[in-house]
Amino acid sequence: MNICKKFIFIFLIFLSLGVFAQQNLSVPLNDNVYFLLENASLRGILPTLPAAKPYTLSFVLDNLNTVLASDKLSEIEREVFIKTYDRLAQNTPQKWYETGYYTNKFDENVKLPIMVGFTWTSEASINCNDPDFSHEHWIDGYIKGDISKFFSYNFNLGGSLMDLSRKSYAPNTYLKTWDGYQFVIENIYTHDNIVEVLSGGLRMLPELAFSAFDNKIGVNFSRISHSWGYSEGNLALSETSRPFMAIETWLYPTKWINLNFITGTLEFESKTGLKEEAKSFQTMYSALNGQINITDYVYIGATGSVLWPKRIELAYMNPLMLPFLSQSLVGDFDNVQLGLYTGFTIPSIMNIYASIFIDEVNVTVSDFFNKDRNMYAVQIGTKSPLPFWTSIFSFQYTKIEPYMYSHPLTDVPWYDKPMDTTYLNHGQPLGYFLNPNSDEFKIQFESNPLWYLSTNLKYTLVRHGTTKGSGKVDGSSFDDPLVYNPPEAEKDKYDYQNAQEGDLYWKDFLHDGVYEWINSISLGGELDCRKWDVPITVGLTYTFSYTHHTLGTKDSIKNINNAEYQNKAGNYLTLSIKVY
């Protein structure tokens, strides 16, 4: 592309910013633009971007603009980025949209943009080996717009019909899509974790967003998903977690310092009754992220987080106060965590990253790696941009220690019953989505060969201690928290500080019981039919999964396959359709 063409394109970019934007709103984490920005960063076209996501629309557009001004893109790749920019910046109306500018009656020269519309999403999944079928259908309506160049809003509401079964989804893949609880059609007052009959659901993701000084400062009052990190699923705050109502602030005073803070209300998982269950889960969440970009391609960061029973606690609401220090100042009634992450990029070759997330450890004890009381998660990985299409190849290893993300009920002086501060939101981890006492090897190839086609090929091996049967491994479930204050008569059994080999709170991964080994390979793709002026995207994913079991002792690991722990295979198909 010659200089004249670049100038014309950049001019059109700036011209389009005034058409329809909602520039201060966040771009949803499932948007493909994050993959494209990551690819550009790996290739050295962009520097290291902030670890805390989502990004605002204006921030995304600015970075796409930088990429498009580069001479490192092939013509096919340039078209991928141009079409993505056009989709996000112009919000081209489709036939079911009603959009326009509404004039301020006090000043006819001030015109406020507003967009009204809806999307329809349907997804169906089936396990071909054990015919089990799930389907869900959502209609999501929205009204969004700008009040000024600094402030944007998005009001939305979705409703659905669904009939779900966990058996129809490949292991460790299903994520909830509804808020609160499901309404069983036969009995509108019945609700549960996942109701395997025809049910209805609701969801809302409202957002009030302010940003200024080219996104150097911002405040977002919303109920949206977040992701803090550079991995495929993060340890501290992952894109796989359920959204929650929160106030988020960020401060980027220079390109080498990023500060993010969030405080919000977590949501309980209703299983038997609304009010009774909620009494124990009155939980707030605060987290602080500080990142230093040593160079454009070397970074180091830290996170501090706390789950705390609801009260007016200013220490956990101050963006510049460390949560783990606050806990000791206000009393040890809360569950605090600390995370560290680092990484570096060799442009056009690879990015190497590592992180650790700590819930509770005692570094002074002997046999550190064998004591259950040391609860942490670690993650290492590498990503490489491939020299064809717009592609990324990645490898990642994640280890979640026993009892990680779980926490026993805690007595607090301002409630008449123990409080739950487990690192969960609506029954799903805020951090990595695996259960405690698991590890995972993941190899993945992602590509955007054409602007209207994305593909994904992935292999994972998950090893996890079983949660039932004669070979059950303690600490492998969120419902199995470590006991801190056992009855006097059982103190020897629950002595987590001095556990010895063979004791309850002594861990030896793969050697202390029965473990399930889940091998999965999946191939998927999504086709954007707007290429042919049809406002539909279609996705299809096939997954083959095979699970076998091993019985581990101190000296050996052997395969087992019996009535209690049966090997099983599954062939899963998932079809999704979204109408804009």
Side-chain angles (χ1 to χ4, degrees):
M1 181 178 287
N2 57 39
I3 296 177
C4 182
K5 287 182 178 179
K6 284 187 178 181
F7 175 80
I8 293 173
F9 179 75
I10 293 173
F11 172 78
L12 290 175
I13 286 176
F14 284 102
L15 185 64
S16 70
L17 291 179
V19 179
F20 261 110
Q22 297 90 43
Q23 293 185 65
N24 305 291
L25 295 178
S26 61
V27 177
L29 292 175
N30 59 2
D31 195 294
N32 191 56
V33 70
Y34 288 101
F35 168 77
L36 298 180
L37 293 179
E38 183 178 37
N39 177 271
S41 182
L42 290 171
R43 295 165 64 176
I45 302 173
L46 294 174
T48 298
L49 298 174
K53 298 181 281 289
Y55 303 143
T56 64
L57 177 58
S58 58
F59 182 86
V60 168
L61 294 178
D62 286 345
N63 281 278
L64 287 177
N65 185 21
T66 301
V67 175
L68 288 166
S70 168
D71 59 1
K72 294 183 179 181
L73 301 178
S74 68
E75 289 303 313
I76 293 178
E77 290 174 325
R78 187 170 298 278
E79 184 181 25
V80 172
F81 281 89
I82 289 175
K83 291 294 186 180
T84 301
Y85 188 102
D86 180 68
R87 171 175 61 82
L88 292 171
Q90 297 185 29
N91 284 301
T92 306
Q94 304 294 342
K95 64 180 179 179
W96 285 309
Y97 280 60
E98 178 187 352
T99 59
Y101 285 93
Y102 287 77
T103 302
N104 185 330
K105 67 179 180 179
F106 299 108
D107 185 352
E108 293 185 356
N109 294 319
V110 177
K111 294 183 177 180
L112 302 178
I114 185 172
M115 179 176 287
V116 181
F118 72 88
T119 60
W120 168 31
T121 307
S122 289
E123 182 175 288
S125 185
I126 187 171
N127 179 357
C128 301
N129 290 62
D130 181 12
D132 215 339
F133 182 67
S134 288
H135 59 96
E136 56 182 308
H137 316 274
W138 285 91
I139 294 180
D140 296 278
Y142 57 84
I143 303 173
K144 58 184 178 179
D146 294 325
I147 299 299
S148 71
K149 67 177 181 179
F150 304 109
F151 183 79
S152 305
Y153 64 91
N154 181 5
F155 170 80
N156 52 72
L157 177 64
S160 73
L161 285 177
M162 60 185 81
D163 191 349
L164 304 176
S165 171
R166 284 193 182 274
K167 294 179 181 180
S168 60
Y169 294 90
N172 302 312
T173 60
Y174 182 75
L175 299 174
K176 296 178 184 176
T177 56
W178 69 89
D179 298 334
Y181 47 85
Q182 294 168 276
F183 302 93
V184 176
I185 301 303
E186 297 175 356
N187 179 356
I188 200 66
Y189 299 106
T190 301
H191 46 84
D192 204 336
N193 176 16
I194 288 185
V195 180
E196 299 190 2
V197 296
L198 186 63
S199 307
L202 295 172
R203 65 186 179 193
M204 288 189 71
L205 300 170
E207 186 173 1
L208 300 172
F210 165 85
S211 65
F213 302 106
D214 296 325
N215 281 287
K216 286 185 171 58
I217 63 171
V219 179
N220 191 307
F221 184 24
S222 62
R223 186 180 179 278
I224 58 177
S225 296
H226 296 83
S227 176
W228 285 12
Y230 295 100
S231 58
E232 299 295 323
N234 299 297
L235 300 179
L237 190 55
S238 174
E239 64 271 21
T240 57
S241 64
R242 291 292 300 155
F244 57 93
M245 188 63 69
I247 297 177
E248 180 185 12
T249 61
W250 65 88
L251 176 64
Y252 301 156
T254 71
K255 71 174 185 178
W256 54 277
I257 294 180
N258 300 327
L259 295 174
N260 295 81
F261 177 77
I262 189 170
T263 188
T265 304
L266 299 185
E267 302 164 3
F268 76 101
E269 181 183 42
S270 177
K271 297 181 180 179
T272 58
L274 183 62
K275 290 186 178 181
E276 190 61 32
E277 288 178 293
K279 287 182 179 180
S280 292
F281 198 89
Q282 294 293 306
T283 309
M284 300 289 292
Y285 174 77
S286 296
L288 173 67
N289 173 72
Q291 177 183 341
I292 297 177
N293 298 317
I294 300 173
T295 71
D296 280 350
Y297 306 111
V298 180
Y299 61 86
I300 185 171
T303 61
S305 55
V306 57
L307 293 98
W308 45 290
K310 291 177 183 176
R311 64 196 191 260
I312 301 299
E313 189 56 73
L314 297 180
Y316 297 141
M317 300 180 189
N318 189 319
L320 302 181
M321 186 69 179
L322 298 176
F324 73 88
L325 178 60
S326 300
Q327 183 199 38
S328 63
L329 298 177
V330 301
D332 188 8
F333 300 112
D334 311 301
N335 182 13
V336 299
Q337 302 82 31
L338 180 67
L340 299 171
Y341 60 90
T342 187
F344 66 92
T345 299
I346 305 173
S348 298
I349 297 178
M350 69 171 59
N351 168 254
I352 298 175
Y353 58 89
S355 60
I356 182 170
F357 188 65
I358 300 168
D359 192 342
E360 184 165 335
V361 298
N362 184 351
V363 296
T364 65
V365 300
S366 60
D367 300 311
F368 176 91
F369 295 104
N370 291 109
K371 283 193 167 57
D372 280 339
R373 62 104 56 237
N374 294 319
M375 294 169 278
Y376 58 91
V378 294
Q379 195 170 63
I380 58 173
T382 180
K383 297 183 180 184
S384 297
L386 299 183
F388 53 88
W389 301 328
T390 307
S391 309
I392 297 176
F393 175 82
S394 61
F395 168 79
Q396 180 174 286
Y397 175 75
T398 305
K399 179 70 165 66
I400 312 294
E401 291 294 304
Y403 298 100
M404 185 62 190
Y405 296 133
S406 67
H407 199 272
L409 298 179
T410 304
D411 289 318
V412 293
W414 48 90
Y415 285 100
D416 62 357
K417 64 186 308 180
M419 291 290 105
D420 187 352
T421 55
T422 305
Y423 206 76
L424 301 177
N425 180 46
H426 199 195
Q428 293 182 180
L430 286 164
Y432 207 67
F433 63 91
L434 289 180
N435 287 309
N437 198 26
S438 300
D439 75 347
E440 178 190 60
F441 297 87
K442 179 186 293 184
I443 302 173
Q444 184 168 241
F445 169 74
E446 301 170 276
S447 179
N448 231 143
L450 302 167
W451 72 263
Y452 52 88
L453 178 64
S454 60
T455 60
N456 181 295
L457 176 62
K458 178 170 60 178
Y459 166 77
T460 61
L461 167 61
V462 174
R463 303 181 294 184
H464 172 236
T466 56
T467 58
K468 59 183 179 180
S470 60
K472 174 183 175 181
V473 185
D474 69 289
S476 301
S477 168
F478 299 116
D479 297 323
D480 180 22
L482 188 145
V483 177
Y484 288 106
N485 299 303
E488 189 67 31
E490 297 184 294
K491 279 194 172 182
D492 290 342
K493 176 182 178 182
Y494 295 102
D495 187 1
Y496 61 89
Q497 292 280 17
N498 303 300
Q500 302 297 315
E501 186 174 350
D503 292 346
L504 176 63
Y505 287 147
W506 180 272
K507 59 185 176 183
D508 190 359
F509 191 65
L510 300 180
H511 292 270
D512 52 1
V514 174
Y515 282 76
E516 54 182 359
W517 297 51
I518 307 171
N519 290 271
S520 301
I521 185 168
S522 65
L523 174 64
E526 184 175 80
L527 182 67
D528 192 336
C529 298
R530 286 174 287 192
K531 156 74 173 174
W532 301 279
D533 297 323
V534 179
I536 295 176
T537 56
V538 180
L540 181 64
T541 300
Y542 164 73
T543 302
F544 171 75
S545 179
Y546 181 75
T547 300
H548 72 279
H549 298 82
T550 61
L551 174 60
T553 61
K554 176 185 176 181
D555 301 317
S556 67
I557 299 177
K558 63 179 181 180
N559 292 321
I560 59 172
N561 183 18
N562 52 41
E564 191 175 20
Y565 299 109
Q566 294 185 7
N567 298 343
K568 60 181 179 180
N571 289 273
Y572 305 88
L573 280 174
T574 300
L575 172 67
S576 62
I577 299 174
K578 186 171 184 178
V579 180
Y580 297 87

